[in-house]
Each structure stands twice: as C-alpha cells, then as structure tokens.
C-alpha cells in the first residue's frame, strides 16, 4: 500500500466531482454563518441550513414553534441574504424532528454465589497477568461484588 503523500485537500481540488462537493459544502457553511448572525440565539440553536438547490435555500428546524417563527421572518431573512451577496430566490422551512433516543438500559445485576466468585478469582490468579481472560475475569468479579 502506498503512503499518502498528498494532503486530503489535494484530492478534493483534483477531482472535479469532489471539488464541486467541497464548494457546495463551503457555501452551506457560509449560509449557516449568516443565519446564525441574523437569528436570535435561542432560535439560531433550533435552526440549520440543510441544503441549497438552484436558488432555493432549505432550512431545518428542530420543532414547530421555531418553524413558525422562522416563517414569519422569511422576507427579512431573504433580504438580508441578498444584501450579503447570496442570491436566494426562495426559502423553505421544514421541521426535522430527531428520533427520540431510548432510555439507556439499566445495568444488569449479576448474582453469583460467593463460592463461585472465589473460584473465579483463584482461576484468574493462576492465569498470566497480561492474559485477556484474566482481565475479563477480574472485571466480572468486580461487577458482581
């Protein structure tokens, strides 16, 4: 395998498709920076630039209240983008809810008799100290104490 002699940026600038992708990503970051400037902090935290297609800017919000507020601000947002040199013909707002994360499972309570734990400890003592099995047994014994 050949060592990587060119920085990653060289690959982005070299390939036509990757170059276009990098430019699009950079433009989205610039649009996001403008959005963060224009919106009050609580609203800015709930909104992000999702994409730009042709001259249509697509914004995602994390909840309906932010989407409603953002829709009220669309004319002034569009005007502010144009003043800053971004030709935005239309802005769409979509609510993009994140899937709720399940509650973490409670830790499994292991019940091991004292005799079994003592035997496992003796087995771990007879194994080499760097043995993965010895380390696993030691963790198991600690968690069942």
């Amino acid at each position: 395998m050949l060592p990587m002699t060119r920085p990653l940026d060289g690959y982005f600038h070299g390939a036509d498709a990757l170059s276009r992708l990098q430019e699009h990503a950079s433009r989205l970051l610039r649009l996001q920076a403008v959005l963060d400037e224009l919106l009050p902090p609580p609203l800015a935290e709930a909104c992000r630039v999702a994409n730009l297609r042709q001259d249509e800017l697509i914004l995602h919000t994390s909840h309906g209240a932010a989407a409603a507020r953002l829709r009220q601000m669309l004319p002034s947002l569009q005007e502010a983008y144009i003043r800053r040199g971004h030709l935005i013909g239309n802005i769409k707002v979509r609510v993009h809810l994140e899937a709720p994360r399940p509650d973490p499972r409670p830790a499994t309570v292991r019940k091991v008799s004292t005799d079994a734990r003592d035997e496992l400890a003796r087995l771990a003592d007879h194994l080499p100290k760097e043995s993965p099995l010895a380390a696993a047994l030691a963790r198991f014994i600690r968690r069942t104490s």
Side-chain angles (χ1 to χ4, degrees), residues 21-145:
L21 179 63
Q22 183 186 25
E23 176 54 35
H24 186 72
S26 296
R27 188 162 186 207
L28 292 179
L29 287 173
R30 289 191 302 270
L31 292 168
Q32 180 66 49
V34 171
L35 185 67
D36 291 341
E37 278 179 37
L38 297 173
L39 298 179
L43 186 57
E45 290 175 13
C47 302
R48 67 182 186 279
V49 171
N51 204 355
L52 177 67
R53 292 188 191 128
Q54 310 294 321
D55 65 344
E56 182 175 75
L57 182 63
I58 301 167
L59 303 176
H60 283 176
T61 64
S62 58
H63 50 83
R69 178 69 178 115
L70 201 55
R71 285 186 182 105
Q72 292 173 344
M73 299 175 68
L74 286 182
S76 60
L77 280 177
Q78 186 174 4
E79 185 179 307
Y81 271 116
I82 291 170
R83 274 196 314 264
R84 286 174 170 77
H86 301 281
L87 298 177
I88 304 295
N90 189 27
I91 300 176
K92 282 191 176 179
V93 177
R94 296 181 181 155
V95 178
H96 189 265
L97 300 175
E98 292 187 20
R101 296 181 185 187
D103 292 333
R105 292 187 330 197
T108 304
V109 178
R110 295 175 180 90
K111 296 186 183 202
V112 177
S113 70
T114 305
D115 291 341
R117 196 176 2 197
D118 292 343
E119 288 299 319
L120 290 171
R122 272 193 284 277
L123 173 61
D125 288 340
H126 290 339
L127 294 170
K129 295 295 180 197
E130 65 278 352
S131 164
L133 180 57
L137 286 172
R139 276 193 311 274
F140 181 78
I141 292 166
R142 276 195 314 272
R143 291 178 181 169
T144 59
S145 302

